[in-house]
Amino acid sequence: RKYLFHLLNISSFNRNPTPMIPHPNDSSKNFVFIRHAESLQNKCWHESKQWSYRRFDKAFVDCDLSEDGYDQTEDTREIVKNLNVKIVYVSPLRRALITSREVFKNHASKPKFVVVPILREKMAAACDVPSDINLLMKEFPDYDFSLLTKGCKNKLLWIFESFNDQEYA
């Protein structure tokens, strides 16, 4: 079997992206990695000369996508519309969940969404602090959160339990 890997970094797209993606008739197993669209904190970082003062601003805790971010999801939806997507693995952070929902909205293959805790980013800014998982489970009811909640003593503290056996400098 042939496996091909493709990366779509959608937050760096202009309005007319042309990334390399697998041909729909390709018989190999394809893995398409899609980075989340631009978040409100990403937008602030790109526009601010005083980013360090806003890095831990509570307003950016697990924040939404920016307007440009939503535009990026529309562009990406057009790019992936002919792919046969069976499963979408997604980070439990809001920007990734929203990106996946918007990109695969009304997708012909109706993929399954699986939330995977280790796909989250490291804790480096307010946007990396997750929302209450119970709220996310209500907001994304069609997503499988079982990998996140399975084995957790307290699912509200999943983020801390996921730090086990990891080194941080």
Side-chain angles (χ1 to χ4, degrees):
R1 267 194 189 164
K2 185 167 79 170
Y3 295 92
L4 300 175
F5 295 86
H6 312 274
L7 174 64
L8 300 181
N9 186 358
I10 68 174
S11 63
S12 65
F13 284 175
N14 295 327
R15 282 300 294 160
N16 296 308
T18 55
M20 298 275 300
I21 61 165
H23 188 275
N25 296 326
D26 188 348
S27 64
S28 59
K29 296 284 184 188
N30 289 286
F31 294 86
V32 180
F33 296 87
I34 301 175
R35 184 180 186 272
H36 64 80
E38 182 186 71
S39 72
L40 293 171
Q41 190 166 32
N42 294 143
K43 183 176 181 68
C44 177
W45 181 72
H46 292 297
E47 293 177 351
S48 177
K49 294 182 193 280
Q50 298 181 352
W51 165 243
S52 61
Y53 295 108
R54 306 254 357 243
R55 185 175 182 180
F56 296 104
D57 186 331
K58 289 189 287 186
F60 295 123
V61 169
D62 207 12
C63 61
D64 199 344
L65 300 182
S66 69
E67 189 174 316
D68 287 342
Y70 280 97
D71 289 343
Q72 292 163 351
T73 64
E74 288 177 26
D75 294 340
T76 307
R77 185 181 315 127
E78 192 61 29
I79 292 167
V80 301
K81 72 180 180 184
N82 293 320
L83 294 179
N84 181 14
V85 179
K86 292 179 175 44
I87 301 175
V88 174
Y89 296 103
V90 61
S91 160
L93 295 174
R94 182 177 304 283
R95 60 187 174 268
L97 293 164
I98 293 171
T99 298
S100 65
R101 179 185 64 201
E102 295 300 311
V103 166
F104 293 99
K105 184 189 300 185
N106 301 319
H107 195 275
S109 61
K110 302 205 181 309
K112 176 180 180 179
F113 294 92
V114 179
V115 179
V116 182
I118 62 170
L119 295 180
R120 65 167 167 70
E121 292 187 44
K122 64 182 181 173
M123 298 289 270
C127 65
D128 302 324
V129 176
S131 294
D132 177 338
I133 203 63
N134 293 312
L135 295 175
L136 290 176
M137 290 170 76
K138 287 179 184 169
E139 187 177 344
F140 299 90
D142 297 329
Y143 284 53
D144 178 356
F145 282 85
S146 64
L147 290 175
L148 188 138
T149 58
K150 189 168 147 184
C152 276
K153 294 173 188 135
N154 181 342
K155 66 181 174 183
L156 292 176
L157 301 176
W158 73 267
I159 187 70
F160 299 108
E161 291 186 28
S162 72
F163 289 154
N164 289 342
D165 301 324
Q166 294 181 15
E167 292 182 27
Y168 292 90

